[in-house]
Amino acid sequence: MQPFPQPTRDDFAARAHIMKALAHGSRLLIIDELSRGERCVCDLRELVGHDMSTVSKHLTILKNAGIVEDDKRGKQVYYRLKVPCVLNFFHCLESVLSARS
Amino acid sequence: MQPFPQPTRDDFAARAHIMKALAHGSRLLIIDELSRGERCVCDLRELVGHDMSTVSKHLTILKNAGIVEDDKRGKQVYYRLKVPCVLNFFHCLESVLSARS
DNA sequence: CTATCATTTGGCGATTTCGCCAAGCAAGGA
DNA sequence: TCCTTGCTTGGCGAAATCGCCAAATGATAG
């Protein structure tokens, strides 16, 4: 018996859904910022430099993918990384970039 | 002095470009297959089940991102993984999926 | 040289993504 | 209660993505 059975087409689609959530510069910037601690939407808005509604939609995409979670305290909503292993992707991305001779 | 300076907006865009290449079910399927060795386009066409031109374009996207490389031998073009660390992403993706309560 | 096989490229409609604006909504503060 | 603040949602046009078909390319065979 094999430890990992071959994933189905749906498995790959589910994985792709998560990768899609990570496939945007602003969202990678947000994740990088969240790696240093939780932030409210207003913090991230200032960081990203886009309309608050745009940033909110980016955060919704990350939340639906299961990458971040949120927490409303008072008037502000705080976001934080739920699955920090996505940070490991960054190292590999650098390898890809540097391997591009 | 810090070992890793804060990446610029362009750095995040460059990373996102690579992530975009990975953000598709068929391309993840292809990468999974290539993890077991090089394959010609016709092999991958059969695996993916789409038009050969579609598969070829997926491979072009992966190649432009620097994830795979190709090698024409005779009439066939063989593709293989150039940066195997992308395979590590799969484990993390499973974590994300299982953390989605 | 001509024909054929494997692959790539061009281009098309259909779908999705992106960022903005405006409107809606919940939590405090006056 | 009424207003403001912080955020989300709806919707729009612009742009990118996807998969197909048809045509072009490149290498080999005859």
Side-chain angles (χ1 to χ4, degrees):
Chain A
M1 57 183 178
Q2 300 189 58
F4 297 110
Q6 179 64 11
T8 68
R9 204 156 295 253
D10 280 353
D11 290 335
F12 285 111
R15 293 172 174 183
H17 179 247
I18 302 171
M19 295 300 289
K20 272 187 218 292
L22 295 167
H24 191 282
S26 297
R27 295 198 287 272
L28 292 180
L29 176 59
I30 288 172
I31 287 172
D32 180 73
E33 180 69 11
L34 292 183
S35 74
R36 289 182 286 278
E38 66 176 13
R39 299 286 187 271
C40 68
V41 182
C42 51
D43 290 336
L44 298 170
R45 187 206 101 81
E46 196 170 348
L47 174 75
V48 173
H50 283 156
D51 198 88
M52 167 123 45
S53 69
T54 300
V55 174
S56 178
K57 282 177 182 173
H58 281 313
L59 289 165
T60 300
I61 289 169
L62 290 171
K63 190 168 80 169
N64 287 340
I67 297 165
V68 303
E69 56 190 358
D70 64 332
D71 182 8
K72 185 161 194 169
R73 292 203 297 277
K75 279 193 286 191
Q76 300 179 347
V77 179
Y78 288 87
Y79 281 85
R80 60 180 158 278
L81 273 186
K82 191 177 175 187
V83 188
C85 65
V86 296
L87 296 171
N88 300 335
F89 290 23
F90 288 138
H91 300 106
C92 179
L93 292 182
E94 297 307 313
S95 314
V96 176
L97 286 169
S98 59
R100 269 207 292 235
S101 49
Chain B
M1 61 182 177
Q2 301 188 59
F4 297 110
Q6 179 63 12
T8 68
R9 204 156 297 253
D10 280 352
D11 290 334
F12 285 111
R15 293 171 175 184
H17 179 247
I18 303 171
M19 295 300 289
K20 273 186 217 291
L22 295 167
H24 192 284
S26 297
R27 294 197 289 268
L28 292 181
L29 176 59
I30 288 171
I31 288 171
D32 179 74
E33 180 69 12
L34 293 182
S35 74
R36 288 183 285 279
E38 66 175 13
R39 299 284 187 272
C40 69
V41 182
C42 52
D43 289 336
L44 298 170
R45 188 206 100 82
E46 195 170 349
L47 174 75
V48 173
H50 283 155
D51 198 88
M52 167 117 55
S53 69
T54 300
V55 174
S56 177
K57 282 178 183 174
H58 282 313
L59 289 165
T60 300
I61 290 170
L62 290 172
K63 190 168 80 169
N64 287 340
I67 298 166
V68 303
E69 56 191 356
D70 64 332
D71 184 8
K72 186 159 193 171
R73 292 204 296 278
K75 278 193 285 192
Q76 299 180 346
V77 178
Y78 287 88
Y79 281 85
R80 61 180 159 279
L81 273 185
K82 190 178 174 187
V83 188
C85 65
V86 297
L87 296 171
N88 300 335
F89 290 23
F90 288 141
H91 301 106
C92 179
L93 292 181
E94 297 306 314
S95 314
V96 176
L97 286 168
S98 59
R100 269 207 293 234
S101 49

